[in-house]
Amino acid sequence: MKRTILALVAACALTGMAKADVVVGQGGETLFVLKSDRDLGKTADQRANDVYDRLRTILNNPNFRGSQIKVKPLGNYGMKIVANNQLIVPIGYDEAKANNTTPSLLAKDWAANLRKVMPKLNARPYLFVNKNADKKKPAVAKKPAPKTKRR
């Protein structure tokens, strides 16, 4: 099954900075929307891909619970959302500004949604496939045709 990435990228001029709306979702569930094209040195698409990799690791833990999701400071750079001390998503000042809020308030909002949605995803592990599954699969050798006797 292909990894479902809902990515809607819309560029517009916003005080000289491009703005993107990248929906981070899985299995029909929206986790959050990255609105800043760049934050903490990465594009929205790069940050979304990082989140998918981290979620796969976190949700592979059969003991995962939504209550393990916490908001913590990210030094002078903003806030971060973690699950059992594993990073899910960092939130910098550019992302918070694009959402018209502060990193702290944005992190609390996203964390609340993650607490509701991630346990649903944990119950459906088939949603997260091997990272290499999107790559071209090697060709499978066909069985040779049966030999016929010559006369």
Side-chain angles (χ1 to χ4, degrees), residues 47-125:
R47 290 181 288 135
N49 285 331
D50 289 347
V51 169
Y52 286 115
D53 290 340
R54 294 175 190 133
L55 288 176
R56 186 178 302 108
T57 301
I58 292 165
L59 293 175
N60 277 333
N61 178 353
N63 297 321
F64 168 76
R65 300 289 175 263
S67 60
Q68 295 171 332
I69 297 172
K70 308 285 185 208
V71 174
K72 294 187 175 187
L74 184 63
N76 293 329
Y77 301 102
M79 300 298 284
K80 62 183 176 181
I81 301 173
V82 299
N84 209 17
N85 291 321
Q86 290 182 289
L87 179 66
I88 297 174
V89 61
I91 301 170
Y93 291 98
D94 290 335
E95 185 63 46
K97 183 177 178 181
N99 282 274
N100 296 315
T101 189
T102 65
S104 179
L105 291 175
L106 185 59
K108 287 176 185 175
D109 184 45
W110 286 3
N113 191 53
L114 288 169
R115 283 185 200 103
K116 287 189 293 187
V117 175
M118 283 182 63
K120 295 177 192 177
L121 299 177
N122 197 32
R124 299 180 289 170

Side-chain angles (χ1 to χ4, degrees), residues 1-49:
M1 179 189 289
K2 291 172 92 175
R3 181 170 82 179
T4 305
I5 298 178
L6 305 172
L8 306 170
V9 181
C12 68
L14 178 66
T15 63
M17 193 170 87
K19 185 174 178 180
D21 287 333
V22 176
V23 178
V24 178
Q26 189 72 43
E29 301 285 349
T30 298
L31 302 175
F32 47 84
V33 179
L34 298 171
K35 293 188 176 185
S36 176
D37 185 50
R38 292 197 74 75
D39 190 38
L40 300 170
K42 291 190 174 188
T43 67
D45 288 332
Q46 289 170 326
R47 290 181 288 135
N49 285 331

Side-chain angles (χ1 to χ4, degrees), residues 125-147:
Y126 58 87
L127 293 174
F128 288 89
V129 297
N130 184 336
K131 189 174 183 178
N132 295 324
D134 294 338
K135 295 181 181 176
K136 188 176 180 180
K137 293 181 180 178
V140 176
K142 294 182 182 179
K143 293 181 182 177
K147 294 184 179 179

